[in-house]
Amino acid sequence: MFCPGAGQFHKSSRPGFHPDPLQSLRMTQAVVITVSDSFSRGEREDLSGPAVAKVLESHGFDVQERISVPDERQAIEDALRSAAAHSRLVVTTGGTGISPRDVTPEATRAVCDRLLEGVAEVMRAEGRRETPLAALGRGLCGNIGASLVLNLPGSPRGAVTSLRAVLPLVGHALDLLAGKTEHDQGDPA
Amino acid sequence: MFCPGAGQFHKSSRPGFHPDPLQSLRMTQAVVITVSDSFSRGEREDLSGPAVAKVLESHGFDVQERISVPDERQAIEDALRSAAAHSRLVVTTGGTGISPRDVTPEATRAVCDRLLEGVAEVMRAEGRRETPLAALGRGLCGNIGASLVLNLPGSPRGAVTSLRAVLPLVGHALDLLAGKTEHDQGDPA
Amino acid sequence: MFCPGAGQFHKSSRPGFHPDPLQSLRMTQAVVITVSDSFSRGEREDLSGPAVAKVLESHGFDVQERISVPDERQAIEDALRSAAAHSRLVVTTGGTGISPRDVTPEATRAVCDRLLEGVAEVMRAEGRRETPLAALGRGLCGNIGASLVLNLPGSPRGAVTSLRAVLPLVGHALDLLAGKTEHDQGDPA
């Protein structure tokens, strides 16, 4: 059973969603975690989480769950580890800024085996095409075993822009992490 | 009283400068630290510090002091901490290269609560438009509490280019660090 | 005598190569290390190592040796340290990807005095002009004393693209590391 240390659970609300074990084997499973004090208390409506889930689904991911956690490092770490235990892709939105309450990158760094600096660079570089302030984003990308963790900004527009910028990378990274370990000289890495 | 562990002090020499407590409440206070063995010994004239101060003042910052410290990590750390205790913006110039005496980034990393990798990326990326060698710059940006530390290169031209590239980011970062902590979904981070 | 902890040795096979002590004093010495399980076992032909050596030689480097080591962190660290002890430039190819066997960056980080983040950024940024997947490259650049270590991707094309992108930086970095330590205000760093 899926039970992070703190959080509020939403079943993915796609119309006509019927859990299908075979289907889930064919599609890459994803979890979207909204990191926000106010959303996790239900004080405000989360627009970013659903927007991120929609983009993922339109690219063939099976978004199993959307979770809200407060801006607490331990809660975020627990949610990341739990989500990565059963989903290949774990996407967060929120908590990547520079105010003291923003601790999503710190939690991500703590739980990941390795960071993929270049993915974070691409998110910032592409984000800067929309707003120079994207350079202040501290979102990271890294892996926990064969699962990938990706931190997106908290605004719906920023989250979607960043996600779209790195979706092709995400797919390739998931392939490599799944065991395409052999060194192919045609492989760019 | 402002007293870093090592250094030589210059009062900002703007003509007609009259300390004004109300004014200082309205303007963001800044300190410029020139990191250089030869400048701190007074063997050569520091051109970068004044050039940086001039740009800051033209953008509305109140440059309270310019300081020179040698390329000694402890002296730099002391100067950074002291300056951040009474000024919101602490800008260094020098000591960001790759020779063994260049230790400004190491001192900055040691005293900052967090680093803002994206700001350093922007300085290198914009600097590369003038010279490919800007890619060797190791300057960092980070915060100490609500104050921001920014490492600029040692050359007057490099320092001014890097500073101009990130000034809009600096202003926004100072706002966020000052307590605009609430997660606004319009916020790009 | 040159003897890393693990590896297979190839004498540089340039036609008409005659060791010349005076020549080697005038040219910057380089070592190319191919990191690959299969190449180090001789199961496949290494195309990247020779391609990298050729580019280096065409730019005036004296490629003293080409070495193959398996994707083992200790073997890579030993090879890097040994090579840096007698050559100013140590270039690796392979092991920079994200699969668990890719550990070249980890070995490089462990043996380097400092990392030059901007050089890695340039390799990824230039690589992305050929393929977006270059953003997944984790290759680093750093120094061991006055020697420079540069991690290139494992594919011949990726390795050559990355190398060409940073060769001007490499030359300048070697100059600075060799003792051009004085702060010149004309110096961009």
Side-chain angles (χ1 to χ4, degrees), chain B residues 103-160:
Chain B
V103 294
T104 302
E106 281 71 22
T108 300
R109 188 183 300 271
V111 300
C112 282
D113 299 334
R114 288 169 165 184
L115 297 179
L116 305 183
E117 317 281 4
V119 177
E121 281 173 18
V122 170
M123 288 195 289
R124 282 191 291 263
E126 294 299 315
R128 284 173 58 207
R129 295 184 180 198
E130 294 211 351
T131 166
L133 303 182
L136 295 179
R138 303 190 304 117
L140 300 175
C141 181
N143 74 297
I144 303 177
S147 297
L148 203 68
V149 176
L150 180 70
N151 298 155
L152 302 176
S155 74
R157 183 175 169 182
V160 167

Side-chain angles (χ1 to χ4, degrees), chain C residues 40-94:
Chain C
S40 70
R41 285 192 301 258
E43 293 172 6
R44 293 170 63 194
E45 188 188 0
D46 174 19
L47 300 175
S48 297
V52 167
K54 191 175 168 188
V55 172
L56 288 174
E57 288 168 350
S58 74
H59 284 78
F61 287 90
D62 173 21
V63 180
Q64 301 183 286
E65 268 162 321
R66 287 196 296 105
I67 306 170
S68 291
V69 296
D71 290 288
E72 304 283 355
R73 181 167 156 180
Q74 190 61 54
I76 303 168
E77 289 186 23
D78 291 346
L80 291 174
R81 281 200 195 90
S82 298
H86 67 86
S87 286
R88 296 288 316 286
L89 180 60
V90 182
V91 180
T92 67
T93 169

Side-chain angles (χ1 to χ4, degrees), chain A residues 115-140:
Chain A
L115 297 178
L116 305 183
E117 316 281 4
V119 177
E121 280 172 18
V122 169
M123 287 194 290
R124 280 190 291 263
E126 294 299 315
R128 284 174 57 207
R129 295 184 181 200
E130 294 212 350
T131 165
L133 303 181
L136 295 179
R138 301 190 305 118
L140 300 175

Side-chain angles (χ1 to χ4, degrees), chain C:
Chain C
M1 181 177 168
F2 183 43
C3 181
Q8 184 184 347
F9 299 77
H10 314 269
K11 253 327 211 187
S12 180
S13 61
R14 285 177 295 157
F17 176 79
H18 299 291
D20 169 3
L22 291 179
Q23 172 81 353
S24 69
L25 288 174
R26 287 192 298 268
M27 294 175 69
T28 300
Q29 300 183 330
V31 170
V32 177
I33 302 174
T34 300
V35 181
S36 165
D37 285 335
S38 50
F39 300 156
S40 70
R41 285 192 301 258
E43 293 172 6
R44 293 170 63 194
E45 188 188 0
D46 174 19
L47 300 175
S48 297
V52 167
K54 191 175 168 188
V55 172
L56 288 174
E57 288 168 350
S58 74
H59 284 78
F61 287 90
D62 173 21
V63 180
Q64 301 183 286
E65 268 162 321
R66 287 196 296 105
I67 306 170
S68 291
V69 296
D71 290 288
E72 304 283 355
R73 181 167 156 180
Q74 190 61 54
I76 303 168
E77 289 186 23
D78 291 346
L80 291 174
R81 281 200 195 90
S82 298
H86 67 86
S87 286
R88 296 288 316 286
L89 180 60
V90 182
V91 180
T92 67
T93 169
T96 61
I98 68 173
S99 80
R101 290 293 294 165
D102 292 316
V103 293
T104 302
E106 281 71 22
T108 299
R109 189 184 298 272
V111 301
C112 282
D113 299 333
R114 287 169 167 183
L115 298 179
L116 305 183
E117 317 282 4
V119 177
E121 279 173 20
V122 170
M123 287 195 289
R124 282 190 290 263
E126 294 298 314
R128 284 173 57 207
R129 296 185 180 198
E130 294 212 350
T131 166
L133 302 181
L136 295 179
R138 302 189 307 118
L140 300 175
C141 180
N143 74 297
I144 304 177
S147 296
L148 203 67
V149 176
L150 180 69
N151 298 155
L152 303 176
S155 73
R157 183 174 170 183
V160 166
T161 298
S162 292
L163 178 58
R164 287 190 195 281
V166 298
L167 262 180
L169 291 175
V170 163
H172 193 69
L174 288 171
D175 283 346
L176 292 171
L177 291 172
K180 192 185 156 194
T181 57
E182 136 186 35
H183 278 256
D184 177 0
Q185 284 221 355
D187 185 325

Side-chain angles (χ1 to χ4, degrees), chain A residues 31-35 52 76-77 80 89-97 102-112 115-116 119-124 134 137-144 148-155 158-163 166 170, chain B residues 188-189:
Chain A
V31 170
V32 177
I33 301 174
T34 299
V35 180
V52 166
I76 303 168
E77 291 185 23
L80 291 174
L89 179 61
V90 182
V91 179
T92 68
T93 169
T96 62
D102 291 317
V103 294
T104 302
E106 282 70 22
T108 300
R109 189 185 298 272
V111 301
C112 281
L115 297 178
L116 305 183
V119 177
E121 280 172 18
V122 169
M123 287 194 290
R124 280 190 291 263
R138 301 190 305 118
L140 300 175
C141 180
N143 75 296
I144 303 177
L148 202 67
V149 176
L150 180 70
N151 297 155
L152 302 176
S155 72
V160 167
T161 298
S162 291
L163 178 59
V166 298
V170 162

